[in-house]
Amino acid sequence: MSQAVVEPQRTLPVFGDYDVVVVGGGPAGIAAAVTASRHGARTLLVERYGFLGGMGTAGGVTNFAGLYGKREGEMTLLVRGVADELLARIDALGGLNKPQDGLQGRIRVRSYDTSIYKCAADQLLLAAGVHLLFHALAAAVVMDGDRVAALVVETKSGRQAIRANAFIDASGDADVAAFAGVPFVVGDGQGSGLFPSTMFRVGHVEAERALAAVGEFKAINDLMQQARERDPAAYSFPREGAILRPQIDPREWRANVTQIRNAEGGAMNGVDARQLSDGEVEGRRQIGEFFRFLKAEVPGFERSAIVEIAPQVGIRETRRIEGLYALTGEDILSSARFGDSIGINAWPMEMHAAGRIEWAFPRDEHRTYNQLPWRMLVPRGVANLLVAGRCASMTHEGQSAARASGGCFVMGQAAGTAAAALGAGDFAAVDVPALQRRLAADGVDLDT
């Protein structure tokens, strides 16, 4: 029997015509859409779920990473602009935690309530005049030479087309870029990549006892090791480097402890439908096993309960496009500067390898961040498309750092600013100094 079915040609209704269409509502997509609309572009954001936030909500990450780094040796807020406004709105609704430091003070994150994040993101985009299309999955593109003429989406109203002058792929998986024929690599290019994790939250915790037992960043791993030494067969932990941290209310904790493999032992491929389906089941299995350990071995968690398993497995890396420049691991370690800087990445290399997390920090301990170049957003071969977020042009090692939410905010704001001014032009020919002036005027720290 044939392994292919021919789909009949059909005429699609047009959902709408826009100046800018953004695909994906994570940090990159939020920043891109808000910025494009504020700069006068009729902007539509297309999101597959019924809410915004990307992996920060759908993946249950519950913290912003990469906003802070050391400048002249002092831990400083370095990612500015739209990110400031989103965090302010989350804070105003009572959903933002105080900064939390880890790894001997070398990283700093801000955790948040995911439900409040969703509400704050809605408010921010609507206030900026962004049009929203939820529950819409990018399915194809229609090309006109080297330009994307229309995006095809699957919706509950059926398959529809959306036309625009410029498109921004902030899908995380480079879906639009792949449809448009942009060259890309999946994961590390050798059948693996950064391993995914299914996140979950635990409630009804006795806060005082839990904070005393596992308030330190690495304390949960010490307890895991002690349990293994007592009885190696008692528990099966999928990785070293478990992260268990309190939320705003310390009676609720977030857990980042799982690691999802495929049948060959490599990282689950998040753009392989079968692996993704199998990985969802495996993630929940690992959560059940780890929660059994929490209740039995960790003070304060004896009467706890799982209050949420993330709506989907948390994906760290899938497709990375080939752009005009690929950010590298050496760029991270050397605190690289670029003449076409669009902002700052302040997160170190965080390599989720088999059974462990490998951290690598910038060599200059007084300047623990790097600039991000405009060229990493510009794909080869498609004139009116930008790619922002974890699927931008980076090596496997460079992506392990710049995939964090801080870098994604930066990329998204630059993409939205440029797209609003593009008209019918070519992104490869953008006036970078003019773009930098606009970004600086909007509060972005270019580190100049």
Side-chain angles (χ1 to χ4, degrees):
M1 181 178 293
S2 172
Q3 295 302 305
V5 173
V6 176
E7 182 179 10
Q9 183 176 350
R10 52 180 164 168
T11 300
L12 300 179
V14 174
F15 177 83
D17 291 271
Y18 297 87
D19 298 316
V20 177
V21 169
V22 180
V23 177
I30 289 171
V34 166
T35 306
S37 186
R38 285 181 175 168
H39 282 281
R42 178 173 163 80
T43 303
L44 175 71
L45 188 151
V46 177
E47 167 56 44
R48 62 176 296 188
Y49 289 108
F51 52 86
L52 302 169
M55 288 296 101
T57 51
V61 173
T62 74
N63 72 79
F64 295 117
L67 301 175
Y68 295 84
K70 288 185 178 180
R71 174 181 275 157
E72 297 180 357
E74 296 294 326
M75 189 65 80
T76 305
L77 179 61
L78 297 173
V79 174
R80 313 305 300 267
V82 172
D84 287 323
E85 298 180 59
L86 178 60
L87 267 67
R89 286 181 179 271
I90 296 172
D91 195 22
L93 293 173
L96 189 65
N97 208 344
K98 295 178 181 179
Q100 295 173 312
D101 291 344
L103 298 180
Q104 295 79 49
R106 290 187 288 181
I107 61 172
R108 177 173 291 178
V109 301
R110 297 294 300 272
S111 63
Y112 52 79
D113 180 275
T114 53
S115 296
I116 289 179
Y117 182 1
K118 294 175 186 178
C119 295
D122 287 345
Q123 293 175 4
L124 179 63
L125 269 75
L126 293 176
V130 177
H131 300 256
L132 296 170
L133 178 60
F134 287 124
H135 300 294
L137 188 67
V141 297
V142 178
M143 299 297 293
D144 180 8
D146 66 349
R147 301 179 68 82
V148 178
L151 172 73
V152 178
V153 294
E154 295 286 0
T155 76
K156 296 303 288 184
S157 300
R159 195 172 176 96
Q160 302 187 62
I162 305 168
R163 292 188 293 229
N165 291 329
F167 293 84
I168 299 173
D169 186 342
S171 66
D173 297 321
D175 290 333
V176 181
F179 296 145
V182 175
F184 61 83
V185 175
V186 177
D188 62 3
Q190 301 174 2
S192 190
L194 300 180
F195 282 74
S197 297
T198 303
M199 309 286 288
F200 66 107
R201 291 184 293 115
V202 180
H204 310 291
V205 176
E206 294 181 47
E208 188 173 342
R209 294 178 61 229
L211 287 166
V214 288
E216 295 296 325
F217 200 80
K218 67 182 286 291
I220 186 63
N221 292 278
D222 293 338
L223 291 177
M224 290 162 58
Q225 180 60 29
Q226 292 168 19
R228 276 191 295 257
E229 291 173 353
R230 287 196 306 271
D231 184 356
Y235 304 104
S236 175
F237 300 120
R239 75 174 208 223
E240 304 289 341
I243 300 171
L244 185 70
R245 302 293 288 161
Q247 295 290 87
I248 299 169
D249 183 340
R251 293 173 298 179
E252 181 176 293
W253 291 59
R254 66 185 187 276
N256 176 354
V257 300
T258 64
Q259 187 176 89
I260 316 300
R261 295 171 171 78
N262 58 25
E264 290 73 39
M268 184 206 83
N269 183 346
V271 290
D272 181 298
R274 295 183 187 277
Q275 290 191 33
L276 184 58
S277 183
D278 292 344
E280 295 285 6
V281 176
E282 173 61 14
R284 289 188 285 270
R285 185 199 68 78
Q286 291 182 16
I287 286 172
E289 177 70 6
F290 194 87
F291 185 60
R292 182 172 68 86
F293 158 77
L294 275 182
K295 288 179 70 75
E297 307 289 347
V298 183
F301 286 82
E302 295 89 348
R303 296 181 178 84
S304 65
I306 296 174
V307 295
E308 184 191 44
I309 294 176
Q312 75 150 82
V313 60
I315 306 295
R316 295 185 171 91
E317 179 186 32
T318 52
R319 301 185 188 100
R320 304 185 320 280
I321 63 118
E322 181 181 326
L324 300 185
Y325 181 83
L327 189 78
T328 69
E330 178 58 25
D331 291 333
I332 308 302
L333 299 178
S334 66
S335 302
R337 296 181 183 273
F338 298 97
D340 60 343
S341 168
I342 53 172
I344 293 171
N345 162 64
W347 198 245
M349 288 171 56
E350 182 189 348
M351 302 287 288
H352 284 254
R356 65 194 187 280
I357 305 174
E358 298 174 352
W359 296 87
F361 292 85
R363 291 186 284 269
D364 185 348
E365 296 181 2
H366 295 278
R367 186 175 183 272
T368 62
Y369 60 90
N370 61 279
Q371 294 175 334
L372 295 173
W374 161 251
R375 289 163 292 160
M376 68 185 292
L377 308 185
V378 184
R380 296 186 181 276
V382 183
N384 66 334
L385 175 67
L386 290 172
V387 180
R390 73 168 191 259
C391 50
S393 182
M394 300 176 268
T395 68
H396 172 62
E397 294 77 15
Q399 195 264 7
S400 75
R403 66 180 174 81
S405 46
C408 291
F409 279 122
V410 168
M411 288 184 260
Q413 184 153 1
T417 303
L422 180 67
D426 184 338
F427 280 124
V430 160
D431 183 340
V432 173
L435 171 62
Q436 291 173 323
R437 289 192 294 272
R438 290 189 182 99
L439 291 172
D442 289 341
V444 174
D445 188 335
L446 298 175
D447 188 43
T448 56

